[in-house]
Structure formats: C-alpha cells, structure tokens
Amino acid sequence: MTASPTVETLEGLNRRVTLTLNNDEVEAEVRKRLAQVAKNVRMDGFRPGKAPMKMVAARYGGEIRGEVLGDALQKAFGAVVEANQLAVAGYPRFVAGENGAFTASFEVFPEIKLGDFSQIKVNRPVVEVNDADVDRTLEVLRKQRVQYHAVEREGKEGDRVHVDYAGKIDGTPFPGGEAKDFPVILGEGRTLKDFEGSLVGMKAGESKTFDVAFPADYFAKELAGKTATFEATIKSVHEAVLPEVDEAMAQSLGIHEGGVAKLREEIRGNLAREAKRRIHAKVKEQVLNGLLETTDLEVPANLVAMEQEGLMEKAVTDLKARGLKEQDIKLSQEVFEPQARRRVALGLLMDTLIKENSIAATDEQVRAMVDEFAQSYEDPSEVVGWYYQDPSRLKEARALVLEDNIVGWILEKAQVTDEPTPLEKLMGTA
C-alpha cells in the first residue's frame, strides 16, 4: 500500500494530513481475508468452509473492508508521523474523500517554554499544635459522645426536647407542617430560628401557639416568604451530659495503656499530621496555580475532551456507588471542561519539567510516603503490605511523590513567605 502525504498546518495545534491508499492493494487484502474467513465459516445449508464466496462476501465483506481500511490508514498515518516527526496529541479523525483519498485531522502537542518561576509567590502557613488545640479536639470528642438525660425543668439552650407540632398557613395545614415526637436540640440551629426559639423555656406537657416566618429564600418555594402559625406541645426535655476526660474515655477511643496522657499525645500527633497535610495542600495549590500563570500554553482540545470523558465516567460511577440509578444521573461533559483543561495543562507542564530537569521519585521516597499514609491506621504494617502487594497501588504513591518533588523543585525558585497561622484558622474552624 502506498501513501502520498501532504501535511497542512491549520489554526493553532491543528494539523491535517492527506493520505492516498492504493485501491488495488486494499481490494487484494480484502479478498485475502475473505478467503481466510471462508475456510471456516458456518452458514445454513452448507458444510463448514463450503459456503459460496459470494454469500461470504455479502455477509462479512463490509466488516472486513472496514478492518482493512482501518489498518491501511493507521499504517499510512504512522509513516507520515514518523517521517515528519509529529508529536500527535490524541487520535486522528479520518474522513473519506475521492479515489482512495482520506484526510486525517489531528492535533500536535504544543512546544512548551517554561516561565520564570521566581515570579511565583507562595504564602506558606506555619502551625504549632498547642495544648489549647488538643483541648478543643477533646471537647469535640466529648460532644460526639454526648448522652441525654431526662429532666423536669424548662428547656434551655443545649437541651434536647421532643415536640408534637402542627402548622397552618392562613388556617390551612401544609405539607411537612406536622410531626409527632420530633427531636430538636435547642440552640443548634437545625430548624428555623423562630420555631426553635419559641420552644426555649417550655416544660414537658406545656403547649404553645406561635408564628414562624419562612425566609424569602427558603428551599421549599411554596413556603418562601410566608408566615405559619404553629401549635406545639413539649413531650420531654433532656439535658446533655458529656463524658469526663478520663481513662474510660481513652479506652473507648482505643487507648488501652497510658490513659489521658497517651490520649492527648495521640491527638497532638493526629493534629500535627492533619496540619502538615493541609499546609502541603495549600502550598501545592499555590505552586501549581503559579506554574499555570507563568507559562503560556495552548492545550490540545482533543486531550481535554478525553479528560472530560474520563472525569464524567468517574463521577457517574461514584454516584452509582452511592445508590443513584443511571437514568436519574443528569450530567453533561461541559461541567467538567474547566477541571479537564487544568489537569491536561498541568500534566503537560509537569512532563516538561520532569524531562528538562531529570526530576524523579526514588524508592526511598515512595516507601516514606507509604509509611506516612499508614501512620493513621491501627496496624501500619498491614497498610504498608497492602500497598506493596499491588504494583498499581505503589504506582499511585510514586506519582504523588513525583508531584511533590516537582512542587519542591519550584518552591526553591519561588518567593515563599512563611506565615505563622493558628491551627483553628488552618482548619477553617476559627
């Protein structure tokens, strides 16, 4: 088969190649493959391999011709790519012309000239975990283990009350406006402020009528901006009782030796690891944003489309795993375009950085990262073994190390400002 290629440079990264196939060679290959199929084909009324060639060609000819043309085009296109040293991004799109001519439209990878990394500015949080941070965490753990005890008094903030209520708008009941033995934790803000506030100060057995104004932006549009009148009866009042920070609490959290001191040590270590993870994520995001901002880059649309498709498939798979039915999942690939474009652009830039600066991930770094992952589990050695049992899992860890090495390499050239930061602010709880 012969090809007379003509390579055209179109707008941006787009290219077009004109390929001409030898029709005689194509037909000869089609006949050859048909003959091979005819030797073993089973068709009604004929013994295996004895069906007339005309019938074999009628049934299988179109499929075989498509295969032959596909193989011929790939071979011809490959020859053009090699001869012209083209760096093809994605897959070509073939369109048939006349007299055995085809056009292959495709994109090439951009030529990348990395920017000035000394212009990248990074604010790096510096955090020291202190006793107050540990105390706050212990308080959260206590609240997670709260127990409610019945009391014979008026309900106040922090109490849990159970209430029967019925609401009406203009004298008419409305959907969702009635409930029996409904639990409300006073002051928690999970119900409307007017509703919750009206229950404060009521005892078990007391009833009350009050108005509640629904906000104009209320999620139930049919209630937004309206005022309802509620009749409510308190069934019971329970006060919150938090566990003491003692050896029993430590044991309930898996600390069987060392008591409260060991518990505090574990909490401090966990907070330090989480702080390190968040600092790393914030710094990494700034570095990658800087990498994109300092380098002009034209991204192949073909690669973006492929990335969009992959992101959408992953999203659909995740939603199915959460129980959604496929027919109920309404997603469009356009939603994933910005994320896909960013991922492709960063991938191209990082590949260039790796090649130009010989950046690599060592086995020791990979093991250190796996060990760090494992520290948050009860049996770290089991987690380490899990990673090293499957090369694909280890490959993921190696890719993360390589990313970290790229970030570290850029940080050495960037303008980095260390900012002392309270842990609460880093965690977004302040």
Side-chain angles (χ1 to χ4, degrees), residues 92-114:
R93 182 171 62 89
F94 296 107
V95 177
E98 297 179 353
N99 302 319
F102 289 80
T103 58
S105 300
F106 60 99
E107 289 179 290
V108 294
F109 283 98
E111 293 184 9
I112 299 175
K113 184 178 180 181
L114 295 170

Side-chain angles (χ1 to χ4, degrees), residues 309-321 329 331 336:
E309 185 177 353
L311 289 171
M312 181 168 173
E313 288 178 357
K314 184 179 184 302
V316 170
T317 300
D318 290 345
L319 290 172
K320 284 182 180 178
I329 300 174
L331 288 177
F336 301 97

Side-chain angles (χ1 to χ4, degrees), residues 2-23:
T2 61
S4 301
T6 301
V7 180
E8 301 175 74
T9 299
L10 306 178
E11 183 179 0
L13 302 175
N14 293 291
R15 303 290 185 270
R16 184 164 58 211
V17 177
T18 300
L19 305 172
T20 303
L21 303 183
N22 186 311
N23 286 329

Side-chain angles (χ1 to χ4, degrees), residues 216-395:
D217 58 353
Y218 194 62
F219 73 94
K221 302 300 182 184
E222 67 276 11
L223 301 178
K226 296 182 180 180
T227 297
T229 299
F230 283 90
E231 293 182 5
T233 300
I234 296 294
K235 305 292 289 297
S236 62
V237 178
H238 294 75
E239 69 177 359
V241 178
L242 301 179
E244 295 295 327
V245 179
D246 54 18
E247 189 168 346
M249 182 178 175
Q251 289 184 352
S252 73
L253 291 166
I255 307 298
H256 301 294
E257 294 182 5
V260 175
K262 181 64 175 178
L263 174 60
R264 294 183 66 89
E265 180 186 332
E266 288 283 332
I267 290 173
R268 188 182 295 272
N270 289 336
L271 290 176
R273 280 190 290 273
E274 180 61 18
K276 180 181 177 182
R277 187 188 69 79
R278 295 201 180 202
I279 291 170
H280 176 74
K282 286 181 178 292
V283 169
K284 181 176 180 179
E285 183 180 17
Q286 293 176 73
V287 168
L288 296 182
N289 286 340
L291 177 58
L292 290 170
E293 290 166 3
T294 55
T295 306
D296 291 329
L297 177 65
E298 188 172 1
V299 181
N302 198 7
L303 297 185
V304 174
M306 292 168 63
E307 186 69 23
Q308 280 179 260
E309 185 177 353
L311 289 171
M312 181 168 173
E313 288 178 357
K314 184 179 184 302
V316 170
T317 300
D318 290 345
L319 290 172
K320 284 182 180 178
R322 296 179 187 180
L324 270 71
K325 295 180 180 179
E326 187 164 1
Q327 61 266 28
D328 295 330
I329 300 174
K330 309 297 182 184
L331 288 177
S332 169
Q333 283 196 14
E334 285 71 24
V335 175
F336 301 97
E337 196 274 341
Q339 183 184 0
R341 183 171 295 278
R342 175 183 170 86
R343 286 168 65 99
V344 171
L346 285 173
L348 294 174
L349 292 174
M350 288 194 285
D351 283 346
T352 302
L353 270 168
I354 290 168
K355 292 173 184 175
E356 291 187 1
N357 301 283
S358 301
I359 300 173
T362 67
D363 292 341
E364 292 77 15
Q365 288 177 312
V366 174
R367 178 56 190 261
M369 177 166 281
V370 170
D371 286 342
E372 188 172 347
F373 287 159
Q375 288 307 306
S376 58
Y377 292 86
E378 187 173 347
D379 186 352
S381 62
E382 185 176 331
V383 177
V384 172
W386 180 82
Y387 268 98
Y388 279 85
Q389 285 170 1
D390 187 338
S392 66
R393 296 169 189 158
L394 215 54
K395 185 178 179 181

